[in-house]
Amino acid sequence: MCGIVGYAGIGDALKIVIEALKRLEYRGYDSAGIAIRSDRGLKIVKSVGEIGNLENRVRGMSIKGATGIAHTRWATHGIPSEVNAHPHPDCRKKIALVHNGIIENYRTLRKELLSRGHEFRSETDTEVVVHLVEERYYPLRKKGIEDALFVAVREVIPLLEGSYALVVVAEDEDYLVGVREKSPLVIGIGSGENFLASDVSPLLKYTSEVVYLDDGECARLDRKSFRIVDKEGNTVQPGIHQVDWSPKDAEKGGYEHFMLKEINEQAGSLHDTFVGMTGENFTLSPMLKTLVPYLKSIEIIGCGTSYNAGMVGKYFIESLTRIPVGLCYASEYRYSSPAEHTPLIIAISQSGETADTLAAMREARRRGSVTIAITNVVGSTITREADFTLYTRAGPEIGVAATKTFTAQIMVLDMLGLRLFEAKKGDPAQLGRLEGSLRGVPRLVQKVLENQERIKEVSRFLSKAHTIFFIGRNINYPTAVEGALKLKEISYIHAEAYPAGELKHGPLALLSPETPVVAVAASDHVREKLYSNVGEVCAREAPVVIVAEEGDETAWNYTDDVLTFPACSPELSPIPASVVLQLLAYYAAKERGCAIDKPRNLAKSVTVE
Ligand code: F6R
């Protein structure tokens, strides 16, 4: 989604906000802009397309100033164009504002503002806010009210409905104002300089100390200090978080794409996540320990890839603990009317900011469920609203397609499954065996990563297809679903996943020599069944790729295109098998010349419903 950066310091604001903006590119955008308090007044420059276009526009302009804001826009209201790009100025062009989110009541507000003589330049919902601010700001300033901009913005907040992170700058004020309501906004505390941003990645180069604003909070920030107030105007004591990601973690490090780098980091991210869930680093809270023996059901919620990780978790936790585990898309959960109360909800979101997941989790809490969040981002909204948080320790994920956070989410779910099993007095020998196997998963993944050549070769032929089916059974059905999602989002090849047994109930009608099928096989109780289904595919002359364990000779009876992962406990096979599928998607997309890190129409963090 859109990205926000704000800077108040002593440095060259233009250079700093553009540099920081580049670190938000991964969120997806179609236009960009800056507003700098320069020695010649408030200077606003915008452009459509890449940040490079914006850089070309400002090159040669003398924009000197130490306070400024910047934005990458992902069009929601109005086409991608220069006028619709942020920052939006007020009628006198002395105030400028950037916004993430949606102002739901903008039509009414716009009509009222037009009737009061305001001049609108864009089609956006955002522009109403800057005009509302101007109506209050100039009279306050005329009256000599201190911090007139800060006061004006706070007066506007109650008029807005929807979700917003806003950052405002004015020609005659040497500070920025930031507000948050259901859309993330983070303060970065520097020395002699302070920042605002929509997430921490653009701040890593400058500081590791951050403060996440809560809904309804408004911040006033200059180069020396910042102050936060809540909706009632009470000063809020900031909770300062230390971010332990290094700026290098958010760089490509010699790889052609962030996605490839992140796929290749998985042995490390899985190890770190495993360690984070063991020994002194993790104990089930006394409250959960008491709850678990009587737990009638669990429900997992999430979106996209996080949902798919939840599906793996469902199979794993259910078969191990015998606790029934439901699974629901967060966007569906929030509007559902369940017949029975689910005592424990696990909400999964790598970003911790996905609007649908947050809303679903709030609904779950309203229904009286205990909530556990699984996320990759320390201090993100989900961590502040869930009863308990479990962290994936994957480091920053910049590529839009989730990869290392997906496998880390599975690791957390598996480890949580073990702890639930323990709390239910499960067999210690089985527990020890599984924990030992999970410890070995990073090694399995490393082996997959060392053998990418064959995957690359197979991807070449898949990259020519128009439609590809992915099939799997039991715990590897979610592996197939995630494989299809990865392929479609970055290569734009239509891909669909089915439980292998479902093929004959409809999809077989679509199979032909032009529709390849990728099957995922593990050495489990459904292996033979899966191969029968693969036989059905071969009978329709559809080309088959099998992702199978090393040493699985049966796979070769059906195809020469066998891609392997090291032998492992079948319940853990989704992790190494998924790494094979991630690489398959990556190389197919590369073969097709796609914009792998920034697939069209997609954003890394979806903060609107
Ligand atoms: C796909 C992908 C998305 C996200 C989904 C949820 O590669 O990244 O499907 O998984 O938008 O995002 P989070 O996990 O941040 O809630």
Side-chain angles (χ1 to χ4, degrees), residues 282-570:
F282 178 78
T283 41
L284 212 54
S285 83
M287 191 263 243
L288 284 175
K289 267 191 192 146
T290 321
L291 178 72
V292 172
Y294 309 99
L295 208 51
K296 292 266 180 313
S297 64
I298 299 174
E299 181 120 16
I300 300 180
I301 55 176
C303 303
T305 290
S306 291
Y307 172 92
N308 295 341
M311 207 188 320
V312 177
K314 170 188 159 60
Y315 279 100
F316 185 87
I317 296 172
E318 210 163 49
S319 71
L320 183 64
T321 65
R322 312 310 301 160
I323 303 169
V325 182
L327 178 73
C328 197
Y329 284 113
S331 53
E332 287 295 311
Y333 179 89
R334 57 188 295 197
Y335 300 113
S336 65
S337 326
E340 279 194 8
H341 167 70
T342 312
L344 181 65
I345 294 280
I346 303 173
I348 311 176
S349 171
Q350 75 79 22
S351 63
E353 303 292 351
T354 299
D356 284 322
T357 310
L358 291 173
M361 199 179 75
R362 285 178 197 131
E363 176 58 18
R365 297 196 72 200
R366 199 191 60 75
R367 292 175 189 172
S369 306
V370 173
T371 51
I372 300 180
I374 298 179
T375 187
N376 196 43
V377 182
V378 175
S380 56
T381 306
I382 206 167
T383 66
R384 281 172 289 139
E385 298 194 12
D387 296 304
F388 303 96
T389 298
L390 302 177
Y391 284 107
T392 50
R393 288 169 159 76
E397 188 174 71
I398 307 294
V400 163
T403 51
K404 61 177 178 171
T405 55
F406 170 71
T407 50
Q409 286 166 347
I410 298 176
M411 178 62 91
V412 168
L413 286 160
D414 287 357
M415 290 299 284
L416 177 63
L418 297 194
R419 299 286 83 90
L420 297 176
F421 185 57
E422 200 172 27
K424 283 196 78 179
K425 308 266 178 285
D427 172 17
Q430 193 183 357
L431 192 73
R433 179 187 69 76
L434 278 169
E435 188 155 336
S437 304
L438 274 164
R439 187 187 301 276
V441 163
R443 274 198 305 280
L444 307 179
V445 166
Q446 189 53 41
K447 282 201 175 153
V448 172
L449 295 171
E450 282 161 11
N451 290 308
Q452 297 185 31
E453 271 319 301
R454 182 72 190 122
I455 302 176
K456 215 184 276 184
E457 274 166 35
V458 172
S459 74
R460 254 176 235 135
F461 113 79
L462 287 183
S463 72
K464 311 278 183 303
H466 292 290
T467 293
I468 300 180
F469 287 90
F470 285 71
I471 56 170
R473 273 177 172 262
N474 200 258
I475 202 164
N476 278 304
Y477 164 55
T479 311
V481 176
E482 175 59 10
L485 177 62
K486 252 358 33 134
L487 185 80
K488 76 181 103 180
E489 67 181 331
I490 61 164
S491 74
Y492 314 142
I493 300 171
H494 174 241
E496 271 191 74
Y498 279 92
E502 276 296 300
L503 279 185
K504 56 188 166 302
H505 299 290
L508 268 190
L510 291 172
L511 294 193
S512 73
E514 275 73 52
T515 50
V517 176
V518 178
V520 186
S523 59
D524 55 13
H525 59 296
V526 288
R527 179 173 164 277
E528 297 312 319
K529 301 279 174 207
L530 178 95
Y531 280 125
S532 306
N533 302 133
V534 171
E536 292 160 9
V537 171
C538 292
R540 274 79 196 173
E541 293 179 38
V544 177
V545 174
I546 301 181
V547 178
E549 257 191 33
E550 272 164 18
D552 179 350
E553 295 305 324
T554 315
W556 299 93
N557 296 338
Y558 295 95
T559 178
D560 288 339
D561 291 324
V562 178
L563 302 173
T564 59
F565 57 87
C568 60
S569 305

Side-chain angles (χ1 to χ4, degrees), residues 103 106 109-110 113 120 124-132:
I103 306 296
Y106 83 100
L109 294 170
R110 187 178 169 115
L113 285 158
F120 275 79
T124 64
D125 54 329
T126 303
E127 199 183 340
V128 296
V129 188
V130 75
H131 293 293
L132 290 170

Side-chain angles (χ1 to χ4, degrees), residues 6-324:
Y7 174 74
I10 44 171
D12 178 348
L14 177 67
K15 204 169 147 221
I16 292 169
V17 294
I18 287 192
E19 170 65 30
L21 213 52
K22 284 185 188 160
R23 292 171 189 270
L24 285 173
E25 279 191 286
Y26 74 96
R27 293 166 71 103
Y29 67 104
D30 47 50
S31 49
I34 54 103
I36 306 290
R37 266 189 84 231
S38 81
D39 44 6
R40 296 190 205 158
L42 192 63
K43 195 78 197 146
I44 301 176
V45 185
K46 316 192 222 182
S47 72
V48 176
E50 305 266 303
I51 293 175
N53 299 346
L54 182 66
E55 280 182 300
N56 291 338
R57 292 286 308 277
V58 295
R59 195 164 295 134
M61 291 184 184
S62 164
I63 308 179
K64 293 202 167 51
T67 310
I69 59 177
H71 190 261
T72 44
R73 173 173 187 254
W74 196 71
T76 55
H77 294 72
I79 55 160
S81 69
E82 241 170 68
V83 275
N84 287 337
H86 303 209
H88 290 286
D90 71 316
C91 292
R92 300 189 205 177
K93 299 196 180 158
K94 282 171 168 277
I95 308 170
L97 172 147
V98 290
H99 166 219
N100 283 1
I102 293 176
I103 306 296
E104 285 164 3
N105 57 337
Y106 83 100
R107 280 197 186 83
T108 322
L109 294 170
R110 187 178 169 115
K111 225 190 246 169
E112 291 166 5
L113 285 158
L114 282 168
S115 72
R116 295 200 290 271
H118 288 270
E119 185 195 339
F120 275 79
R121 302 176 183 96
S122 76
E123 303 157 85
T124 64
D125 54 329
T126 303
E127 199 183 340
V128 296
V129 188
V130 75
H131 293 293
L132 290 170
V133 172
E134 93 173 281
E135 280 190 339
R136 283 144 190 88
Y137 169 68
Y138 294 110
L140 285 166
R141 195 172 157 78
K142 207 168 166 191
K143 279 192 221 156
I145 302 288
E146 199 185 337
D147 286 344
L149 186 68
F150 189 37
V151 178
V153 172
R154 278 156 50 205
E155 284 183 10
V156 167
I157 297 171
L159 309 176
L160 306 177
E161 288 168 20
S163 62
Y164 46 87
L166 299 162
V167 179
V168 195
V169 64
E171 186 172 301
D172 297 319
E173 310 287 334
D174 65 350
Y175 58 90
L176 300 176
V177 181
V179 189
R180 174 217 153 107
E181 180 67 40
K182 300 194 201 100
S183 188
L185 194 60
V186 191
I187 295 176
I189 311 170
S191 84
E193 55 185 5
N194 287 309
F195 302 81
L196 278 162
S198 42
D199 72 55
V200 294
S201 49
L203 306 179
L204 297 174
K205 186 172 167 198
Y206 306 98
T207 180
S208 57
E209 283 195 344
V210 300
V211 175
Y212 291 86
L213 291 187
D214 261 325
D215 280 348
E217 289 183 351
C218 184
R220 179 207 180 279
L221 177 144
D222 60 30
R223 68 186 176 88
K224 289 193 186 140
S225 62
F226 65 90
R227 184 181 156 216
I228 304 171
V229 295
D230 64 15
K231 273 185 188 147
E232 282 74 42
N234 306 310
T235 300
V236 174
Q237 276 313 314
I240 299 176
H241 290 268
Q242 206 65 40
V243 183
D244 63 2
W245 295 347
S246 86
K248 285 236 167 334
D249 292 340
E251 285 166 10
K252 276 193 201 149
Y255 284 94
E256 193 176 347
H257 295 100
F258 278 111
M259 183 179 176
L260 186 60
K261 174 184 176 236
E262 287 157 5
I263 291 173
N264 278 286
E265 282 171 348
Q266 285 177 104
S269 56
L270 283 162
H271 169 79
D272 293 348
T273 302
F274 172 81
V275 171
M277 292 289 294
T278 48
E280 285 173 9
N281 300 324
F282 178 78
T283 41
L284 212 54
S285 83
M287 191 263 243
L288 284 175
K289 267 191 192 146
T290 321
L291 178 72
V292 172
Y294 309 99
L295 208 51
K296 292 266 180 313
S297 64
I298 299 174
E299 181 120 16
I300 300 180
I301 55 176
C303 303
T305 290
S306 291
Y307 172 92
N308 295 341
M311 207 188 320
V312 177
K314 170 188 159 60
Y315 279 100
F316 185 87
I317 296 172
E318 210 163 49
S319 71
L320 183 64
T321 65
R322 312 310 301 160
I323 303 169

